[in-house]
Amino acid sequence: MRDKTSWRWEGGFHLSGTVTEPAIQSEPETVCNVAISFDRCKITSVTCSCGNKDIFYCAHVVALSLYRIRKPDQVKLHLPISETLFQMNRDQLQKFVQYLITVHHTEVLPTAQKLADEILSQNSEINQVHGAPDPTAGASIDDENCWHLDEEQVQEQVKLFLSQGGYHGSGKQLNLLFAKVREMLKMRDSNGARMLTLITEQFMADPRLSLWRQQGTAMTDKYRQLWDELGALWMCIVLNPHCKLEQKTSWLKQLKKWNSVDVCPWEDGNHGSELPNLTNALPQGANANQDSSNRPHRTVFTRAIEACDLHWQDSHLQHIISSDLYTNYCYHDDTENSLFDSHGWPLWHEHVPTACARVDALRSHGYPREALRLAIAIVNTLRRQQQKQLEMFRTQKKELPHKSITSITNLEGWVGHPLDPVGTLFSSLMEACRIDDESFAGFSDFTENMGQFKSLEYQHLSAHKFLEEGESYLTLAVEVALVGLGQQRIMPDGLYTQEKVCRNEEQLISKLQEIELDDTLVKIFRKQAVFLLEAGPYSGLGEIIHRESVPMHTFAKYLFTSLLPHDAELAYKIALRAMRLLVLESTAPTGDLTRPHHIASVVPNRYPRWFTLSHIESQQCELASTMLTAAKGDVRRLETVLESIQKNIHSSSHIFKLAQDAFKIATLMDSLPDITLLKVSLELGLQVMRMTLSTLNWRRREMVRWLVTCATEVGVYALDSIMQSWFTLFTPTEATSIVATTVMSNSTIVRLHLDCHQQEKLASSARTLALQCAMKDPQNCALSALTLCEKDHIAFETAYQIVLDAATTGMSYTQLFTIARYMEHRGYPMRAYKLATLAMTHLNLSYNQDTHPAINDVLWACALSHSLGKNELAAIIPLVVKSVKCATVLSDILRRCTLTTPGMVGLHGRRNSGKLMSLDKAPLRQLLDATIGAYINTTHSRLTHISPRHYSEFIEFLSKARETFLMAHDGHIQFTQFIDNLKQIYKGKKKLMMLVRERFG
């Protein structure tokens, strides 16, 4: 936008002018009248005729302000209007007023008339006040002065963004507002707290809060994160080191008001925390605010309320943040809460999240040097505590060598904590070593360049004081991140807080991954890795941990990949230690109740509700996969990793993924297969088979097929082995239809380059498997067994006998018909016939099942019997009559039997001569009578519930019935009698009977 500013006028503390916006395309030129009031280098109010409504100044206000800054000589200066009026005589004053009214008569005439009336009235309020206001003269020295903030627009904008529910980038816009608040705090603009108050009021008025509370549903994750930022910002505001007591009192009153509202979101998202009030600093704990600690739930404002009791008057704290030279080399108090360490460097003992909240507050309010000094003192305190804890644990181990120590001293984890203490320390220290960081310009008294170890935009910068030789802000930042990530901490309650633990851990690791490791940083990694392994209950990677500790898989994967090129042994120790997932183990340690601060005294015994368990298991799987990849070619390491996987991973799907990963790594195209890794893959696959054998798993078929592929890659002995022990790995159906069938396929033989002897040995194992499966599950395995045993006469006969033995009890007609058809196809018609007759005994087709899938099998069985001869047909027809009650099926069989002579196409294709079978003699007479009877019964059944729309279909049915009746010697008479009976019995169905008479007389 190109603005042109004209007729500037400045009088006292008021600036006014016009800003011309040039015409663009279809829009004409616009002229805006702008007025700005200012006081003590701050713009205190603005007006512009453009009408734009926004939180921030419009472009015209900015243009006029910049014009005044850049071209002060072009702006005409005036005394305050009261001084100018004082210099006028009566005639001039009258002329001035009348001209002013004339120029702006429509706007000011009513006001002028009202003021004139009041001035002329002796008792008016205006005459009770000495003098008159002057907007161009500025405020009194005692008046509050602050930058102009359009409160109404702030409220409207926040309300709009919230109403959009996260759509249209509203979440991003709200985050920008929060960033603006932080920017205002950093510039020490008093509007920061005002603006956050307005934002908070709109958040509290969001109607969705009541709705979610009534419905018992959780707010969305992104919305929940906005509330977290809101609470963190209030923490920063109340911890302003230079705020006035009355300000803090006002904020506390407002925070308590919001805190008491029913719909105020809880800190953990879903559940009220039962932990004690831990926010208050240890030196000031006696004055802890008790109001909120007695509340059943901690809200997003609870910590800010508690922080109102904190102060900055502690002399030790003041010395820490105000001086780089604060030391005491003669201080020898080596107690737990000593003020200086053995170097004489200052320490700060306070609840860690609270101490870090002070650092965040100092940074937020524009005190970066002070924040850095306090951050260094906190990190040095943490490192000293770490060393003390290690020494304490080693002493305990010596005193109680056989006792498992699983105490957790940290009831609140630092990673995922609402105040993000580790993230605060890390960010503060990383800012100090940014090469291009302007916020530390002129900081040479506090820093010196320790070398050119460059990592992205960071380099090693160290302080004159308080750091070991070779250490820097960068090493300190990395070390505190490792300390926080490795802390043993209890898994919090609630879905949101558990997801937050995972999310914050991944965010912190992501930041660490941006840093390129040099020799200095590798030393830090080694140091912390050793501590984590040896520190017992203080470390999440200690030898024995509590059952509900947050798992270390994600962190350990990062440590493993970082340490692997420099210290493989240490890398594997860390990763293998982290593989455990005790919450899923029934024999996990429950804790040492004799120890102080044990978690069991705070959290009641319960089966933990780990909402993020699936994510945690996937991270465990990723760690194992990373180790498998790295261990390729190393037999000892692969065996160790395999044992760890088998011991610690409890999910079949994840073990299957690892088996697949190992297989892919072992069979990469650019190298020979790694046989050890292939065996690991097979072993994991076998474990999956055993785990899922008796449970439902939708991927089971895929798993079985993959295992056979893997065993094929390992070799013929692996295939033979899985067939020998099939009953521990597969169901009988899987063993025959997938395993043995695949093993016996030509592709497998070609793939393995088997000789005749090897082929026969494999085939023998497959046949043995097939017969065992057929015995165990004949219904589902008999056909596969017969197929697999085709080339061995004895085995084939055995399989056939198994089918016959099972046919009378455990097999369905469908299974028997299928096997019978297979027998006929293989050239065993008599055996097929035998099985078909057995199948018929299991079948029952009612009168209305004229589309039953078994009909084709019945027709096939009758055709097979007919082709074998009269005796076979005579034997099966009684079975058909007994099993089939459907008239149309029976008439179809009857028709087919009368077309050709039984046995005309006999065995081996020989044609038999003979007469057609008579319908007056057995067995066809029996079939004919049954068919006629079926038509009669079906007719009566259909007439019971027939509707007019089915009349025509019924007439056609009777026509087919007549065809069958007429096949009998006296069929015409029988059919006539049948029709007469219908007319008599169903005479009430007049329309239908009329149709019957029309067709059949």
Side-chain angles (χ1 to χ4, degrees):
M1 179 194 301
R2 291 184 300 123
D3 294 326
K4 185 175 74 175
T5 310
S6 62
W7 64 272
R8 281 84 43 204
W9 181 84
E10 184 174 345
F13 297 83
H14 187 81
L15 174 68
S16 56
T18 58
V19 178
T20 304
E21 196 169 334
I24 50 170
Q25 296 178 350
S26 59
E27 294 187 15
E29 177 181 281
T30 55
V31 178
C32 298
N33 297 317
V34 181
I36 301 173
S37 297
F38 52 93
D39 180 16
R40 281 163 277 184
C41 300
K42 298 183 182 72
I43 293 176
T44 55
S45 69
V46 298
T47 56
C48 180
S49 61
C50 70
N52 288 346
K53 295 292 184 180
D54 200 352
I55 292 174
F56 309 111
Y57 301 150
C58 68
H60 314 106
V61 170
V62 174
L64 183 62
S65 302
L66 290 175
Y67 190 92
R68 169 63 180 83
I69 293 168
R70 292 174 180 173
K71 298 182 179 181
D73 297 337
Q74 300 294 314
V75 178
K76 188 176 180 180
L77 291 175
H78 290 274
L79 291 172
I81 194 68
S82 56
E83 293 293 329
T84 305
L85 293 175
F86 183 73
Q87 297 173 14
M88 296 181 186
N89 58 34
R90 192 212 175 278
D91 292 338
Q92 289 173 320
L93 283 171
Q94 183 164 355
K95 182 178 287 189
F96 172 79
V97 172
Q98 288 183 216
Y99 266 99
L100 180 64
I101 294 172
T102 302
V103 173
H104 300 287
H105 68 280
T106 55
E107 292 107 24
V108 303
L109 185 57
T111 304
Q113 191 65 60
K114 178 174 177 288
L115 288 173
D117 292 342
E118 289 187 5
I119 288 172
L120 292 174
S121 172
Q122 293 295 324
N123 299 322
S124 66
E125 185 178 342
I126 200 170
N127 283 323
Q128 307 304 313
V129 179
H130 180 70
D134 181 358
T136 66
S140 166
I141 190 68
D142 298 323
D143 289 350
E144 284 289 325
N145 69 314
C146 58
W147 286 90
H148 172 69
L149 178 69
D150 191 333
E151 297 189 0
E152 184 181 345
Q153 277 308 302
V154 172
Q155 292 172 318
E156 287 301 317
Q157 289 285 311
V158 176
K159 187 176 182 180
L160 174 64
F161 294 148
L162 288 173
S163 68
Q164 292 171 349
Y167 301 104
H168 313 296
S170 58
K172 183 179 178 181
Q173 294 297 325
L174 288 167
N175 275 316
L176 288 174
L177 283 179
F178 289 144
K180 186 66 179 176
V181 171
R182 285 196 177 272
E183 181 187 331
M184 295 164 95
L185 296 181
K186 195 170 185 179
M187 299 300 293
R188 302 174 196 175
D189 180 353
S190 60
N191 276 336
R194 287 175 64 208
M195 185 162 171
L196 187 62
T197 300
L198 297 171
I199 293 172
T200 307
E201 285 173 348
Q202 291 306 309
F203 267 73
M204 290 299 296
D206 190 342
R208 291 177 297 173
L209 291 176
S210 298
L211 186 64
W212 286 330
R213 182 64 60 89
Q214 289 168 6
Q215 295 175 344
T217 55
M219 62 179 71
T220 62
D221 197 52
K222 287 185 177 179
Y223 187 57
R224 174 68 244 194
Q225 290 176 47
L226 292 171
W227 275 102
D228 280 356
E229 178 64 7
L230 201 63
L233 279 170
W234 275 113
M235 189 79 174
C236 281
I237 283 175
V238 301
L239 279 177
N240 181 350
H242 293 112
C243 73
K244 297 175 183 177
L245 180 60
E246 55 267 24
Q247 284 181 313
K248 187 180 283 191
T249 303
S250 172
W251 294 331
L252 178 60
K253 182 180 179 182
Q254 184 64 67
L255 286 167
K256 284 185 173 181
K257 178 183 175 184
W258 291 326
N259 193 64
S260 64
V261 177
D262 287 341
V263 295
C264 185
W266 299 342
E267 182 179 80
D268 61 6
N270 299 77
H271 302 276
S273 173
E274 295 177 358
L275 294 176
N277 181 339
L278 299 175
T279 303
N280 294 280
L282 296 181
Q284 305 162 22
N287 300 319
N289 185 309
Q290 295 300 314
D291 292 346
S292 54
S293 65
N294 295 324
R295 288 179 54 79
H297 302 299
R298 297 176 65 84
T299 77
V300 291
F301 301 118
T302 300
R303 292 183 188 273
I305 290 171
E306 293 170 353
C308 287
D309 287 323
L310 301 179
H311 58 74
W312 296 84
Q313 277 71 53
D314 184 278
S315 60
H316 183 56
L317 176 61
Q318 283 295 319
H319 281 110
I320 289 173
I321 64 177
S322 61
S323 174
D324 302 333
L325 305 173
Y326 180 49
T327 56
N328 190 337
Y329 298 112
C330 301
Y331 192 89
H332 299 298
D333 181 8
D334 199 30
T335 59
E336 185 179 347
N337 293 323
S338 56
L339 300 181
F340 298 89
D341 63 12
S342 57
H343 298 288
W345 300 342
L347 303 173
W348 180 243
H349 296 281
E350 188 173 29
H351 176 236
V352 174
T354 305
C356 295
R358 290 184 186 272
V359 174
D360 191 29
L362 287 169
R363 288 171 65 210
S364 299
H365 288 283
Y367 303 101
R369 295 174 182 80
E370 291 81 354
L372 183 61
R373 290 166 185 149
L374 182 56
I376 292 171
I378 293 169
V379 176
N380 281 333
T381 307
L382 290 178
R383 295 198 295 184
R384 180 175 178 273
Q385 288 176 351
Q386 218 182 30
Q387 189 59 39
K388 293 280 185 186
Q389 289 167 352
L390 180 57
E391 293 168 4
M392 187 188 305
F393 178 60
R394 285 172 176 168
T395 303
Q396 288 175 337
K397 281 189 75 174
K398 288 178 183 177
E399 294 173 355
L400 304 166
H402 305 296
K403 198 168 185 70
S404 299
I405 301 170
T406 61
S407 321
I408 295 181
T409 55
N410 294 299
L411 304 183
E412 284 187 305
W414 298 335
V415 174
H417 191 280
L419 301 179
D420 191 21
V422 178
T424 297
L425 292 176
F426 181 81
S427 300
S428 300
L429 292 162
M430 290 303 286
E431 279 180 7
C433 57
R434 281 182 188 268
I435 296 169
D436 59 346
D437 195 336
E438 295 180 359
S439 66
F440 282 82
F443 207 103
S444 56
D445 64 317
F446 204 72
T447 63
E448 64 177 0
N449 197 328
M450 291 294 292
Q452 296 302 316
F453 302 105
K454 185 176 178 183
S455 169
L456 295 179
E457 72 269 38
Y458 308 111
Q459 71 178 23
H460 289 287
L461 295 173
S462 178
H464 285 302
K465 303 288 182 183
F466 316 146
L467 292 185
E468 298 280 1
E469 184 179 353
E471 289 185 333
S472 66
Y473 298 134
L474 185 57
T475 62
L476 216 57
V478 169
E479 186 164 14
V480 79
L482 299 181
V483 170
L485 288 165
Q487 175 203 34
Q488 185 182 181
R489 56 215 186 253
I490 204 72
M491 179 65 80
D493 287 334
L495 171 62
Y496 176 73
T497 46
Q498 291 177 16
E499 286 180 339
K500 189 174 180 180
V501 167
C502 297
R503 183 170 57 248
N504 283 23
E505 179 183 41
E506 289 165 4
Q507 288 170 345
L508 191 53
I509 289 172
S510 177
K511 291 176 183 176
L512 285 170
Q513 287 171 333
E514 296 175 2
I515 303 170
E516 184 181 332
L517 297 189
D518 55 29
D519 292 342
T520 306
L521 291 176
V522 169
K523 288 179 184 176
I524 298 293
F525 271 76
R526 277 201 177 102
K527 169 189 167 186
Q528 282 301 321
V530 170
F531 172 83
L532 290 170
L533 290 171
E534 296 180 359
Y538 304 99
S539 162
L541 289 166
E543 188 176 347
I544 299 175
I545 58 171
H546 191 271
R547 184 171 182 262
E548 294 183 36
S549 287
V550 174
M552 295 280 114
H553 307 128
T554 308
F555 178 43
K557 179 186 169 187
Y558 169 67
L559 283 180
F560 177 79
T561 54
S562 300
L563 284 169
L564 191 63
H566 311 285
D567 192 337
E569 192 66 29
L570 183 57
Y572 276 99
K573 280 183 181 178
I574 285 284
L576 291 167
R577 177 71 63 80
M579 276 292 291
R580 60 200 170 186
L581 186 51
L582 298 185
V583 75
L584 295 181
E585 296 182 13
S586 57
T587 57
T590 55
D592 177 8
L593 300 180
T594 65
R595 297 280 160 194
H597 308 299
H598 192 273
I599 198 66
S601 64
V602 177
V603 180
N605 291 329
R606 58 179 172 77
Y607 185 79
R609 298 183 66 197
W610 283 29
F611 300 98
T612 54
L613 191 57
S614 60
H615 174 75
I616 289 168
E617 287 187 286
S618 69
Q619 292 300 304
Q620 182 190 37
C621 180
E622 286 295 319
L623 173 60
S625 181
T626 304
M627 283 196 286
L628 282 175
T629 304
K632 182 179 180 181
D634 189 325
V635 176
R636 181 179 66 87
R637 296 241 192 259
L638 282 173
E639 289 175 352
T640 308
V641 175
L642 174 62
E643 288 175 9
S644 180
I645 292 169
Q646 291 175 321
K647 177 186 175 182
N648 294 300
I649 297 186
H650 305 275
S651 162
S652 59
S653 60
H654 287 124
I655 295 178
F656 182 49
K657 180 186 182 300
L658 288 171
Q660 291 177 305
D661 289 349
F663 183 79
K664 289 173 186 174
I665 300 163
T667 56
L668 292 173
M669 296 296 291
D670 59 350
S671 61
L672 292 172
D674 184 315
I675 191 63
T676 308
L677 197 49
L678 270 177
K679 288 179 180 177
V680 168
S681 176
L682 178 64
E683 195 60 43
L684 291 172
L686 294 174
Q687 184 178 347
V688 171
M689 291 298 102
R690 289 188 285 267
M691 290 174 73
T692 58
L693 179 59
S694 58
T695 58
L696 293 175
N697 191 305
W698 64 274
R699 298 184 68 190
R700 172 75 186 180
R701 191 173 184 84
E702 175 197 353
M703 292 171 172
V704 174
R705 290 188 182 280
W706 177 88
L707 183 75
V708 176
T709 302
C710 182
T712 304
E713 285 296 321
V714 174
V716 64
Y717 70 92
L719 289 173
D720 192 53
S721 175
I722 64 173
M723 287 197 294
Q724 296 281 354
S725 57
W726 71 267
F727 47 88
T728 65
L729 304 170
F730 313 109
T731 64
T733 307
E734 292 167 346
T736 53
S737 64
I738 301 176
V739 181
T741 304
T742 306
V743 170
M744 294 301 295
S745 66
N746 288 331
S747 61
T748 302
I749 294 169
V750 172
R751 177 77 182 83
L752 294 173
H753 309 290
L754 301 180
D755 57 30
C756 293
H757 174 72
Q758 290 174 317
Q759 287 183 42
E760 180 50 37
K761 184 180 179 184
L762 212 55
S764 176
S765 295
R767 287 193 292 269
T768 302
L769 174 151
L771 293 175
Q772 290 172 347
C773 292
M775 286 288 291
K776 192 173 181 66
D777 186 7
Q779 296 96 327
N780 297 308
C781 300
L783 182 57
S784 295
L786 287 166
T787 306
L788 289 165
C789 295
E790 280 178 355
K791 295 180 180 179
D792 186 285
H793 178 70
I794 295 175
F796 188 82
E797 289 298 318
T798 304
Y800 176 65
Q801 192 57 49
I802 290 171
V803 175
L804 289 180
D805 292 343
T808 55
T809 53
M811 298 188 74
S812 67
Y813 63 82
T814 304
Q815 294 163 337
L816 289 169
F817 275 131
T818 302
I819 297 171
R821 286 177 179 265
Y822 161 80
M823 281 294 184
E824 185 197 28
H825 179 68
R826 302 306 300 169
Y828 297 100
M830 287 306 297
R831 288 182 176 181
Y833 168 76
K834 175 67 174 172
L835 290 170
T837 58
L838 289 171
M840 288 299 300
T841 62
H842 295 289
L843 180 66
N844 183 24
L845 278 180
S846 63
Y847 76 92
N848 59 350
Q849 292 182 295
D850 51 1
T851 58
H852 196 282
I855 291 173
N856 285 333
D857 289 323
V858 173
L859 295 175
W860 169 82
C862 291
L864 174 65
S865 304
H866 191 273
S867 69
L868 290 174
K870 183 177 180 181
N871 293 336
E872 287 77 12
L873 184 62
I876 203 169
I877 281 178
L879 298 176
V880 171
V881 168
K882 184 178 180 182
S883 301
V884 180
K885 306 302 179 185
C886 183
T888 54
V889 176
L890 290 171
S891 63
D892 196 4
I893 296 170
L894 182 63
R895 181 182 57 79
R896 293 178 187 222
C897 288
T898 58
L899 293 177
T900 57
T901 303
M904 281 297 288
V905 182
L907 293 177
H908 310 298
R910 293 193 305 249
R911 294 187 64 81
N912 298 331
S913 59
K915 297 180 179 179
L916 292 172
M917 294 180 71
S918 171
L919 289 169
D920 293 331
K921 298 179 181 178
L924 292 190
R925 179 68 200 191
Q926 184 184 1
L927 179 60
L928 177 60
D929 290 344
T931 306
I932 291 172
Y935 270 116
I936 293 171
N937 291 334
T938 303
T939 300
H940 287 297
S941 296
R942 294 183 68 169
L943 283 171
T944 305
H945 302 290
I946 196 168
S947 63
R949 60 195 177 97
H950 293 127
Y951 284 176
S952 59
E953 180 187 332
F954 177 72
I955 297 299
E956 294 304 317
F957 174 77
L958 287 180
S959 299
K960 290 182 180 179
R962 181 170 61 180
E963 293 175 8
T964 302
F965 272 84
L966 294 178
M967 294 174 75
H969 178 71
D970 56 348
H972 180 72
I973 298 171
Q974 285 189 54
F975 186 73
T976 302
Q977 290 175 344
F978 173 55
I979 293 298
D980 289 343
N981 283 339
L982 291 180
K983 294 174 186 175
Q984 183 62 34
I985 295 170
Y986 301 101
K987 58 186 177 182
K989 300 181 183 296
K990 295 180 180 180
K991 184 176 181 181
L992 178 59
M993 291 303 108
M994 182 183 71
L995 293 174
V996 169
R997 279 193 294 272
E998 286 177 359
R999 177 69 68 91
F1000 305 110

